[in-house]
Amino acid sequence: MSVPDFLDMYKTLIAKPSISAIDESLDLSNKAVIDVLANWCRDLEFEVEITELTHAPGKYNLLARREPLNSSKNHGGLMLAGHTDTVPFDDARWNSNPFELTEKDNKLFGLGSIDMKGFFAFVITAISQLDRKYQNAPLMILATADEETTMAGAQQVAQHTSLKPKYCVIGEPTDMVPVFTHKGHMSSAIRVTGRSGHSSDPDRGLNAIEVMQQVISRLLHLKEELKNKYSIEHFAVPHPTLNLGHIHGGDNANRICGCCELHIDIRPLPGLSITELEQMLLNAIQPINEQFPGCVDVIALHDPIPAFSGRTDSGLVRLAEKLSKQKAIAVNYCTEAPFLQQLGCETIVMGPGSINQAHQPDEHLDMDKITPSQNVILDLIKKCCFNNEKAS
């Protein structure tokens, strides 16, 4: 029952490219990472289930389960969850090979070092230090696909009928600060279809850029409405945000623009449903479609991600606060938490590394944080799944 040491696991995980991207030319399978994790889990006497995603062939989830000895109990316990994919990278902005773990200035550099393949090295190292004969509750490791794009992996897991952990900890990089709630994410394309024509006779066309100017005006009004109508003090940015992120349209100065498209990003608070938000967006552009019938379309760029809502007084939050010696917080980014929470488990987000490094060139883990983070993860597993006094 042996697994590689911590740094060897880290090196192996970083060396397996598993980029997920909307651009098919960049998108890769995560199977190599899944296979490595599966072998390590089997070495620790876990039963391993590998599932190809229904709507994303070539992408895989791994669910490893280990029950207490001499027990048929298969509900309850702790699930440690993370995603196996990474974002794409800009090679010109990295000072080292993103797929080679590089130690420099007391830091471990590599793509996925904190977001978030490295989390699995922490988890497996911790479990390998515990004596299974003292395990008294189910222990699970979940590794998902495509978190960085569609979250299809977590959404598929949410439909798993026999998976019923009591607790779930998602190891996104929070510097081991427990996160009990976060905002959602909705990205939409607003497409204006006009009529092109020669610029010398404007009345013979419908300029999509001019119509888009009206759309933007109404979106900015919606932005202020969201800011004034909804607020939760736990968040550093206490209101929903709406960002105008990308726009393109037209092809020549002397042609009436026939099509213009704007991409927007909205981050809803807990309590503001995706359905309600989508209706608010449609209501905002309705007067323009009444003036120019069928001119404006709203197209989802990906399936929206709902906000994650937890409680500060839950047993898992209180335990995580005690072990980490840090108060649970709310964050503005989103994770797989709202989907995994659907399994009926108390859920938090808490893992090693800083979110400030996520999606950045030269992504790295500060080595000074390894031992403190490892100790919290080890203690968490012991408290949830072992006879704590005898486990190690």
Side-chain angles (χ1 to χ4, degrees):
M1 203 171 68
S2 63
V3 294
D5 67 25
F6 177 81
L7 283 180
D8 285 341
M9 279 192 282
Y10 235 99
K11 290 176 183 176
T12 300
L13 292 167
I14 298 302
K16 307 290 185 185
S18 55
I19 292 167
S20 65
I22 299 299
D23 184 342
E24 293 184 1
S25 68
L26 300 175
D27 196 46
L28 300 173
S29 173
N30 67 328
K31 187 62 161 53
V33 179
I34 291 292
D35 287 342
V36 165
L37 292 174
N39 288 335
W40 294 339
C41 289
R42 291 187 185 105
D43 288 342
L44 294 174
E45 301 179 343
F46 280 74
E47 294 182 5
V48 174
E49 173 186 322
I50 297 175
T51 307
E52 188 171 17
L53 300 194
T54 304
H55 300 296
K59 304 297 183 79
Y60 297 83
N61 287 339
L62 173 147
L63 175 62
R65 296 197 246 194
R66 197 176 77 180
E67 309 297 335
L69 291 171
N70 304 316
S71 171
S72 60
K73 180 180 180 182
N74 58 10
H75 293 340
L78 172 66
M79 183 168 71
L80 297 155
H83 61 85
T84 57
D85 59 321
T86 70
V87 292
F89 66 97
D90 183 349
D91 191 48
R93 298 178 65 195
W94 276 74
N95 291 304
S96 60
N97 183 345
F99 301 114
E100 181 178 324
L101 189 68
T102 302
E103 182 179 341
K104 183 181 179 182
D105 299 328
N106 204 36
K107 297 178 175 67
L108 295 176
F109 292 86
L111 184 62
S113 56
I114 54 95
D115 188 21
M116 61 166 292
K117 291 192 287 187
F119 174 65
F120 296 107
F122 281 90
V123 166
I124 291 170
T125 297
I127 295 171
S128 70
Q129 296 172 5
L130 298 170
D131 190 335
R132 187 185 179 186
K133 68 183 178 183
Y134 298 114
Q135 184 181 337
N136 58 16
L139 180 58
M140 289 147 275
I141 298 173
L142 174 67
T144 62
D146 276 11
E147 187 271 351
E148 299 290 4
T149 50
T150 64
M151 296 205 182
Q155 293 189 63
Q156 185 161 312
V157 171
Q159 308 305 314
H160 204 301
T161 56
S162 65
L163 183 56
K164 299 185 182 301
K166 182 177 181 180
Y167 303 123
C168 175
V169 176
I170 302 169
E172 293 278 6
T174 69
D175 272 333
M176 300 308 295
V177 177
V179 170
F180 74 95
T181 186
H182 65 60
K183 294 182 180 179
H185 184 212
M186 190 173 93
S187 291
S188 302
I190 314 294
R191 182 177 298 161
V192 175
T193 304
R195 294 189 308 276
S196 61
H198 199 283
S199 61
S200 63
D201 192 352
D203 289 342
R204 298 192 64 178
L206 177 61
N207 195 307
I209 293 176
E210 293 181 6
V211 177
M212 183 62 80
Q213 185 272 333
Q214 297 182 48
V215 171
I216 290 174
S217 177
R218 296 194 65 83
L219 290 177
L220 293 177
H221 179 79
L222 174 60
K223 178 180 179 178
E224 288 302 307
E225 181 183 353
L226 291 170
K227 181 176 180 179
N228 295 329
K229 188 175 180 180
Y230 302 95
S231 180
I232 297 178
E233 63 180 8
H234 291 298
F235 290 90
V237 180
H239 52 80
T241 56
L242 189 159
N243 181 62
L244 312 181
H246 171 73
I247 190 168
H248 62 275
D251 53 17
N252 205 36
N254 64 359
R255 183 196 295 268
I256 297 169
C257 175
C259 186
C260 184
E261 188 166 296
L262 169 69
H263 293 181
I264 66 171
D265 168 290
I266 303 178
R267 304 278 172 155
L269 291 169
L272 177 56
S273 73
I274 295 297
T275 300
E276 182 181 1
L277 190 56
E278 289 173 335
Q279 190 58 54
M280 292 175 75
L281 185 57
L282 291 174
N283 290 344
I285 64 169
Q286 182 179 351
I288 301 173
N289 265 332
E290 290 175 354
Q291 182 180 0
F292 306 106
C295 181
V296 186
D297 292 305
V298 179
I299 305 159
L301 293 173
H302 60 72
D303 288 340
I305 301 158
F308 161 54
S309 181
R311 302 193 335 265
T312 56
D313 62 348
S314 76
L316 181 57
V317 168
R318 287 177 172 175
L319 175 60
E321 288 180 328
K322 180 180 179 180
L323 296 178
S324 68
K325 298 180 174 59
Q326 301 184 88
K327 187 175 178 58
I329 62 171
V331 295
N332 296 316
Y333 54 84
C334 62
T335 75
E336 296 171 316
F339 301 113
L340 300 185
Q341 188 184 41
Q342 292 175 26
L343 297 171
C345 46
E346 292 184 28
T347 304
I348 62 168
V349 183
M350 183 177 73
S354 170
I355 192 64
N356 294 330
Q357 285 299 315
H359 303 187
Q360 298 299 314
D362 294 335
E363 178 185 344
H364 63 264
L365 173 70
D366 288 322
M367 296 183 70
D368 289 341
K369 301 291 184 69
I370 292 176
T371 298
S373 299
Q374 189 69 77
N375 288 341
V376 173
I377 292 170
L378 179 64
D379 287 344
L380 179 71
I381 296 171
K382 289 168 66 175
K383 289 285 189 182
C384 293
C385 298
F386 284 79
N387 182 327
N388 193 50
E389 298 303 318
K390 300 177 181 180
S392 54

